[in-house]
Structure formats: structure tokens, C-alpha cells
Amino acid sequence: MIPNHLVNQWITKAFQSYLEDKERQIYLTRILSVLTQSDQLWSDDSPLYDQALQQTLSQFCQDFNTSSLDVQAYGEWSQLIQSFNRDLQQQLRRLQAAQDLNRLDREDFSSGKDSMKVVSSLTMQIYEWVKSDIKGELRATHLANYPAANCQTLIERRLPPEQSWEEIAADLGLSVPVISGFYQQECLPRLRRCAMSKNALARPKAC
């Protein structure tokens, strides 16, 4: 097992290297190897865990290579593993929330001839929440320099009957990874908070 003090040295050197420096990539590879093999890495028996892990690793690498990581949060091994586990748990919760919502949508839209008549109360409230955007938060939350790629538009287009990422990306002139990544990070947490609040009350404006 690689000692923590050696991993700390790799982390320190990686943050000191230039962004395009090959040496930095070498340290990143070493850090990822220790991270994925560590017995401190949080795990779960959810069938979505592997997907959550891959997405969290991908986001970690992306942030690492664009200096978006908080040095205070990732400055040494103990901080890195704690912060990574937190991000991993959050990503798994996002995927689970999206799965639950999609399952609910599929059940609603496959159980009758007139799909709009069998949409659940929860789904109808979410529709109204998205369209009304009372606080203006959904429309105001968008990709930098791309106001058309906002949470209101993306959530609405992903609700049943959902449009494909390829279609949405083509309409907005952006790539699928960029659009879907923004949706996972910014839109799904807001959608999940709304759905959770609707479980306890029937007021459409409560989100």
C-alpha cells in the first residue's frame, strides 16, 4: 500500500505543475490509481454505483485539468478522499432521483390510451413548476455565454415525451456531453428538490 505522505507529495506537485505539463498527467494517473483501489473509497450496492463512480471520476479529471479543483479541499490525501466520496454520494443520489422520475414517467405514460389523462399529480405539478418558473431561477441558471441552454428549457425538454440529447444539442448548437453534463450538475438537483417537496404537499408553487 502506498503511504499517504507519498500521495500527498504527488498531489502537491500536481497542483504546482502547468496545466499542459505531461508530468502533471503522470501525477494525476498515480492519484487516480490510488483513489480507485483505496479501501477508503465509498461504495454502495446500488446498480447505479459504477455509473456514478465513472461520472465522478470524469468530473474530477476535468476539474483537475482546468484548475477548477479547490486546493483547500483536495490539498492532501485525507481531504481528497473525503471530498471525492462526498461528490460520489451526491452523484449517485442524482442518478437515483433521475431513475425514479423516469420510472414514474414511464408508468404514467404507458398505463392509458390518453397519456395526458394518466399523468400523476406529482408529474403535473412538476410540469407547472417548470413552465411557470415563479422565481426565475430555472431560466437564470444556464451555461456560461449560452442563455438558451438553461434549466427551464432542458428540464422541460427532458420531461415526457422526452427529447433525445442529440436533438437538444443540435438545436442549441452544443455537444451532447456539455449539455448532459450541465443537466446532471445544475438541473437535476433542482428537479429533485422540487419532486421531494411535492411528495409532502400539493402546492405547485412550493418549489
Side-chain angles (χ1 to χ4, degrees), residues 180-194:
S180 61
F182 174 78
Y183 184 85
Q184 290 282 341
Q185 295 176 31
E186 299 293 343
C187 303
L188 267 185
R190 290 172 169 80
L191 179 57
R192 181 172 180 268
R193 286 197 298 270
C194 179

Side-chain angles (χ1 to χ4, degrees), residues 159-195:
L159 288 174
E162 66 179 11
Q163 298 180 13
S164 69
W165 285 120
E166 289 75 15
E167 183 179 359
I168 297 173
D171 289 346
L172 296 175
L174 295 166
S175 68
V176 170
V178 169
I179 291 294
S180 61
F182 174 78
Y183 184 85
Q184 290 282 341
Q185 295 176 31
E186 299 293 343
C187 303
L188 267 185
R190 290 172 169 80
L191 179 57
R192 181 172 180 268
R193 286 197 298 270
C194 179

Side-chain angles (χ1 to χ4, degrees), residues 2-123:
I2 300 176
N4 289 352
H5 71 84
L6 181 57
V7 182
N8 290 341
Q9 292 179 13
W10 294 345
I11 297 172
T12 299
K13 290 181 179 179
F15 276 115
Q16 292 176 344
S17 300
Y18 293 104
L19 291 180
E20 302 299 328
D21 194 344
K22 292 183 179 179
E23 185 179 6
R24 178 172 182 150
Q25 296 304 311
I26 293 175
Y27 288 125
L28 173 60
T29 301
R30 293 176 180 176
I31 293 169
L32 290 177
S33 177
V34 174
L35 178 64
T36 54
Q37 297 178 44
S38 173
D39 57 7
Q40 297 180 53
L41 179 66
W42 180 76
S43 62
D44 191 271
D45 58 4
S46 168
L48 294 173
Y49 174 79
D50 288 341
Q51 182 180 354
L53 177 60
Q54 290 302 316
Q55 292 181 356
T56 307
L57 286 169
S58 177
Q59 188 62 49
F60 176 84
C61 293
Q62 179 180 336
D63 292 343
F64 194 97
N65 284 314
T66 56
S67 289
S68 296
L69 288 180
D70 182 355
V71 179
Q72 297 300 319
Y74 294 88
E76 60 181 38
W77 170 248
S78 61
Q79 296 170 320
L80 187 148
I81 189 67
Q82 182 178 5
S83 297
F84 187 89
N85 283 340
R86 179 200 62 220
D87 294 343
L88 175 56
Q89 292 171 27
Q90 292 176 347
Q91 184 61 33
L92 180 59
R93 286 196 293 269
R94 293 190 191 104
L95 292 176
Q96 290 172 332
Q99 183 184 67
D100 291 343
L101 185 59
N102 287 337
R103 182 169 58 247
L104 175 63
D105 291 335
R106 287 195 300 271
E107 292 172 355
D108 289 339
F109 280 82
S110 62
S111 60
K113 296 180 179 180
D114 187 349
S115 61
M116 290 307 296
K117 290 183 179 180
V118 295
V119 177
S120 70
S121 174
L122 173 60
T123 306

